[in-house]
Amino acid sequence: MGKKILPFLFLLFISLSYSQAKRATVMINARAQKDKILIRWAIDSPIEWQKANKKGFVITRTTILRDGKILPKQEKLKQTQKPLLPEPLDSWLDLVQKDNNAAIIAQSIYGESFEVTGSKESEISRIVNMTDELDQRYTFALYAADMSFTGAIKAGWGFVDIDVKPNEVYAYQVSVFETPNVKASSYLIGLKDYTTLPAPTDFNAIGDDKKVMLSWDYETFKRIYTSFMVEKSEDGVNFSPISATPLVNLNDKEDNPSKTMYYVDTLSVNDKEYRYRLFGITSFGEKGEITKPITTKGLSGLVTSARLSNYNIFNSNHINLEWEYPKESEEFIQGYEINLAENDRGPYKTVTKIIPASERKLNYKDNLYPSNYFTITTIGKNNQRMTSQSMLVQPVDSIPPAKPIGLEGVIDSLGVVKLKWKPNEEKDLRGYRILKANAQGEEFVDIYHKSYVGNEYQDSVSLKMTNSKVYYRIAAEDMRYNISDPSEILVLDKPDKIPPAAPIFKDYDNNDGKIHLKWIRSYSEDVVGYSLRRREKGQDKWQEIKQINDTIQEYTDDRVENKKIYQYAILARDKGNLWSSIENSTITIQVLDFTPLKVITYSEAVPDRASKKVTLTWVYTKSKGKITGLSIYKSIKGTPPTLWKQLNGEILTIDDKTLKINTEYEYHLIPNLESNNPAKNEVLTVVY
């Protein structure tokens, strides 16, 4: 069998589900060292695991390669003269005295009852969450075997092969003795696969009040290491572990995998430097490369925030802020930041760099609003932040905004006026007053009646009035209701000929070789009819296919050919015999007839339990074009089908041998035509 990478992680095994319908499998992992090969295995079913502990495991080694060449005759060698079984209970006594994980393994195999107790119970049980005793034996045994390779060997779940050569590659097969219902597995490996174990990356330490948050990249290394060990030093020379047992990530879940692993170490004092380093441990008990030491220290926590106490306003836009903070607490903070918002709810924006801890005043004059809400944030040495209550500051403002510039506009054929102008840059701008006059020298009137927010405005004019021009001006207004001088006058000419507004296509359907069109009528009130026109794409001349009155808004064109591309236009005509523009009233559609062609005239699926297969047979029609191939999708009835086989057009039968007894299967046969037309699929149902 090919090489399988199946890491023995605790969290992998507790997520495995099992049932009578699923065949149990031996899961195998191997690791090459410089002069030997280590093997670990387990079964993904608690029931079969318990049985295998009494039956034993058999290891067969097959030499596949020698000097880089495949052997013409494979050399098989049994590594176990008799099945590997757990060693007798008496032989475990010395090991369990110094290895807690070995004690868990022994208890899971030989204990009359299995119950996890002690200080570790709540931590592990929170993840396991099992009540069945067999499940607990199985789960904790696999977890403990990952933590103790020596214990795994003693339990008959691990093996060390020292009779290996550097120029050979082997396939190790592990099976349960005389138990064919448990699927055996293999692992391909040789001494050439030996690699050094890397040091974990992204190892960081963040100091806090009498504690340190340690973190490192877990996602990259969880398939290499089952646990980690952090070591700590006070003098930078002598390091010792910070925990009695290796650290395991108990928060990694299959549906929400962890990317980073964290550990919090408590400190006796702050402001003292500590050094930390980290290495990983594999399920074979190997220690990986140690990271470079990182240095950190605890930082005193922030206990109080500064308080804004007073302010003074100078020259309408210059503010002097004052605040209070205990002098004796200055040594525990980095300093302060000033925050500003336009209203009390925020959002607040930091408007200063960090102000030194000894300062108590700030002169500020930039980015002021009509109403200014200030807060002050105190920043601790551990980057902890505490923010004060807000203080309202309102500068006096009697200066109006600048005169608006850049006013321009257009009037369309319906009399709709669109105005736009360059926006003012005042931060306290409330909006604009929109002013209008219908004749030269006439007094301008505020047509919006309040401040308009934005720099584009839409108005309308009557095309029936005799005035040929219309006049506009705008004025800016700030939050204190100061109004600027009005802009220069904008003069717009009203259109003298007004064709009807163009109708527009809003939707179309392309079904069964017919095109069904829908449109929105012209907005013009004097429209008397419509002309629906058509042409093939690439032609210049339009052809009228239907004259339509004003009440009809849809039409079905059935005089079309499949796969041809047509362009349609809809035009409106008013009482003055003026036609709407064709520019925005066209649509391009390709005729697509998706009616499936029946290509398969006969098909059947015949089960053959004696030969352990299902035979599929089909026959194609000879008059539906060239058949280039056949796609077969397969599924257990009630589940989504997936692609099973892709065949050429000359094959008319196939056998399926990947089957389960007493299972109803569905096969979907989908022909592929050279013409790319859709073909009707055939569904075969069979109970095997």
Side-chain angles (χ1 to χ4, degrees):
M1 295 179 66
K3 184 173 181 179
K4 300 179 181 177
I5 302 175
L6 300 170
F8 278 63
L9 298 178
F10 171 58
L11 295 179
L12 169 66
F13 281 116
I14 67 170
S15 66
L16 288 171
S17 60
Y18 58 92
S19 66
Q20 296 299 325
K22 180 179 178 181
R23 185 181 179 188
T25 304
V26 177
M27 312 291 282
I28 181 173
N29 189 24
R31 163 81 178 154
Q33 294 192 343
K34 292 182 179 180
D35 56 354
K36 57 182 174 288
I37 293 176
L38 314 178
I39 308 173
R40 278 269 289 112
W41 60 87
I43 299 178
D44 61 357
S45 164
I47 295 175
E48 297 300 335
W49 167 82
Q50 189 177 49
K51 294 177 181 178
N53 289 335
K54 298 177 181 179
K55 290 269 191 176
F57 293 92
V58 177
I59 305 173
T60 302
R61 189 186 80 184
T62 303
T63 305
I64 304 297
L65 298 173
R66 181 174 290 125
D67 296 323
K69 297 180 181 179
I70 299 177
L71 298 184
K73 184 177 180 181
Q74 296 179 348
E75 301 174 1
K76 287 190 177 182
L77 177 65
K78 270 198 173 183
Q79 301 293 99
T80 51
Q81 298 302 319
K82 58 181 181 179
L84 286 178
L85 293 167
E87 294 186 16
L89 181 60
D90 291 345
S91 67
W92 290 76
L93 295 179
D94 292 338
L95 180 60
V96 299
Q97 297 297 322
K98 54 185 179 181
D99 189 338
N100 290 335
N101 289 301
I104 294 175
I105 296 173
Q107 176 69 11
S108 70
I109 297 173
Y110 294 108
E112 293 183 4
S113 63
F114 190 83
E115 184 177 352
V116 179
T117 59
S119 60
K120 291 289 182 179
E121 178 181 6
S122 61
E123 180 181 330
I124 299 177
S125 295
R126 186 170 61 251
I127 302 299
V128 177
N129 195 21
M130 296 179 180
T131 57
D132 183 78
E133 182 176 318
L134 174 58
D135 289 346
Q136 288 197 28
R137 288 178 184 267
Y138 171 74
T139 302
F140 283 99
L142 295 184
Y143 165 76
D146 272 349
M147 299 296 105
S148 173
F149 185 56
T150 303
I153 293 175
K154 209 169 186 65
W157 309 332
F159 181 78
V160 179
D161 187 4
I162 59 175
D163 184 20
V164 290
K165 298 179 181 179
N167 64 331
E168 295 180 342
V169 175
Y170 312 102
Y172 292 90
Q173 184 187 64
V174 180
S175 61
V176 181
F177 181 64
E178 294 183 344
T179 310
N181 62 306
V182 177
K183 185 179 178 181
S185 291
S186 299
Y187 199 104
L188 191 68
I189 193 171
L191 291 181
K192 68 180 182 60
D193 294 314
Y194 168 75
T195 57
T196 58
L197 294 169
T201 58
D202 295 338
F203 186 39
N204 295 302
I206 299 176
D208 205 340
D209 188 15
K210 291 189 177 180
K211 60 185 176 182
V212 173
M213 169 71 79
L214 301 168
S215 64
W216 59 91
D217 181 0
Y218 175 73
E219 184 179 35
T220 303
F221 296 92
K222 66 181 181 180
R223 297 191 178 278
I224 301 174
Y225 300 120
T226 56
S227 61
F228 299 87
M229 180 61 76
V230 176
E231 295 181 334
K232 174 180 175 182
S233 172
E234 296 187 15
D235 57 11
V237 177
N238 300 302
F239 285 84
S240 58
I242 62 174
S243 59
T245 58
L247 306 177
V248 178
N249 191 350
L250 299 176
N251 295 316
D252 195 32
K253 298 179 181 178
E254 187 174 359
D255 58 346
N256 186 23
S258 299
K259 296 189 179 207
T260 305
M261 188 165 172
Y262 299 92
Y263 186 84
V264 177
D265 185 33
T266 56
L267 306 175
S268 57
V269 295
N270 287 324
D271 300 320
K272 177 181 178 180
E273 285 195 347
Y274 295 90
R275 288 176 175 81
Y276 292 89
R277 65 186 188 186
L278 169 73
F279 61 87
I281 303 173
T282 70
S283 59
F284 297 100
E286 301 170 286
K287 295 181 180 180
E289 184 180 346
I290 301 176
T291 62
K292 293 181 179 180
I294 56 176
T295 303
T296 189
K297 61 182 178 180
L299 301 172
S300 298
L302 194 61
V303 296
T304 185
S305 171
R307 182 180 69 87
L308 291 171
S309 58
N310 196 14
Y311 70 89
N312 293 299
I313 300 175
F314 305 96
N315 300 326
S316 299
N317 63 349
H318 189 179
I319 298 173
N320 182 39
L321 295 172
E322 299 180 7
W323 61 87
E324 299 174 351
Y325 192 74
K327 183 75 175 176
E328 60 274 14
S329 299
E330 289 180 0
E331 62 179 305
F332 302 117
I333 66 172
Q334 299 182 52
Y336 319 94
E337 287 179 345
I338 300 297
N339 314 297
L340 173 62
E342 197 171 0
N343 61 68
D344 194 23
R345 295 186 302 274
Y348 283 85
K349 181 180 179 182
T350 301
V351 294
T352 67
K353 296 180 180 179
I354 295 181
I355 303 169
S358 60
E359 293 291 330
R360 297 295 186 273
K361 292 182 180 181
L362 175 71
N363 290 322
Y364 185 78
K365 61 179 180 180
D366 297 324
N367 302 316
L368 289 174
Y369 303 103
S371 296
N372 301 273
Y373 290 85
F374 286 96
T375 62
I376 183 169
T377 299
T378 308
I379 306 171
K381 288 188 176 180
N382 58 354
N383 288 319
Q384 184 181 1
R385 294 168 180 263
M386 295 184 70
T387 301
S388 70
Q389 296 290 329
S390 64
M391 173 185 284
L392 172 62
V393 179
Q394 291 181 304
V396 177
D397 182 11
S398 60
I399 302 174
K403 174 181 174 180
I405 59 175
L407 178 61
E408 59 183 43
V410 294
I411 304 177
D412 68 12
S413 60
L414 297 176
V416 176
V417 183
K418 294 184 178 179
L419 302 174
K420 65 178 181 179
W421 56 92
K422 185 176 180 180
N424 283 43
E425 297 181 354
E426 291 84 359
K427 292 189 175 297
D428 63 341
L429 186 70
R430 180 184 295 274
Y432 299 89
R433 294 286 178 167
I434 312 297
L435 310 174
K436 176 182 177 181
N438 290 314
Q440 188 175 9
E442 181 180 284
E443 184 178 355
F444 282 85
V445 176
D446 186 344
I447 60 174
Y448 193 69
H449 307 297
K450 58 181 179 179
S451 282
Y452 174 77
V453 178
N455 67 314
E456 294 184 6
Y457 181 78
Q458 183 170 299
D459 189 26
S460 63
V461 295
S462 173
L463 300 179
K464 298 179 180 180
M465 294 180 65
T466 57
N467 61 310
S468 61
K469 299 180 185 295
V470 65
Y471 305 83
Y472 289 96
R473 304 180 82 176
I474 59 172
E477 184 177 26
D478 67 14
M479 291 295 183
R480 301 286 185 177
Y481 300 100
N482 299 309
I483 299 178
S484 72
D485 293 333
S487 69
E488 300 298 327
I489 297 174
L490 173 67
V491 183
L492 297 178
D493 293 322
K494 295 167 62 176
D496 55 356
K497 290 185 179 181
I498 307 173
I504 60 173
F505 288 105
K506 71 172 183 178
D507 198 7
Y508 72 88
D509 290 324
N510 185 1
N511 294 322
D512 301 326
K514 300 177 182 179
I515 295 178
H516 185 69
L517 303 168
K518 295 181 181 180
W519 59 85
I520 299 174
R521 294 197 301 260
S522 169
Y523 292 118
S524 300
E525 297 178 356
D526 58 345
V527 172
V528 295
Y530 295 85
S531 173
L532 181 62
R533 303 176 186 182
R534 185 189 76 185
R535 68 182 179 186
E536 287 188 30
K537 187 176 180 181
Q539 295 184 355
D540 295 327
K541 188 177 179 180
W542 291 93
Q543 182 180 17
E544 185 176 73
I545 60 174
K546 186 72 174 177
Q547 288 188 6
I548 304 167
N549 63 39
D550 190 38
T551 60
I552 298 174
Q553 292 179 263
E554 57 184 81
Y555 177 78
T556 299
D557 187 6
D558 56 2
R559 292 176 295 173
V560 293
E561 295 181 31
N562 192 24
K563 295 190 177 179
K564 280 194 174 183
I565 300 176
Y566 294 91
Q567 290 181 313
Y568 292 87
I570 181 75
L571 284 77
R573 181 173 60 87
D574 64 12
K575 294 178 181 179
N577 210 32
L578 295 173
W579 289 92
S580 65
S581 171
I582 198 174
E583 183 177 354
N584 296 315
S585 299
T586 61
I587 190 171
T588 302
I589 305 171
Q590 183 179 17
V591 179
L592 296 174
D593 188 355
F594 291 104
T595 304
L597 301 177
K598 185 170 180 61
V599 176
I600 298 177
T601 59
Y602 170 80
S603 60
E604 69 172 357
V606 179
D608 186 353
R609 289 197 177 186
S611 300
K612 296 182 179 180
K613 66 179 181 179
V614 169
T615 300
L616 306 179
T617 307
W618 57 91
V619 176
Y620 296 123
T621 182
K622 298 181 179 179
S623 60
K624 296 299 181 181
K626 184 175 180 180
I627 299 167
T628 60
L630 180 71
S631 300
I632 302 179
Y633 289 77
K634 174 184 173 183
S635 67
I636 297 175
K637 189 169 185 180
T639 63
T642 58
L643 182 64
W644 176 58
K645 294 292 182 181
Q646 189 80 38
L647 308 175
N648 62 45
E650 298 176 0
I651 299 176
L652 299 175
T653 184
I654 191 171
D655 292 338
D656 183 8
K657 297 183 178 181
T658 308
L659 303 164
K660 294 182 179 180
I661 296 296
N662 298 326
T663 302
E664 187 173 5
Y665 292 93
E666 285 186 347
Y667 298 87
H668 298 253
L669 281 60
I670 305 176
N672 304 314
L673 302 181
E674 188 178 58
S675 63
N676 289 325
N677 285 329
K680 184 178 181 182
N681 69 314
E682 301 292 331
V683 181
L684 298 176
T685 303
V686 63
V687 177
Y688 177 76

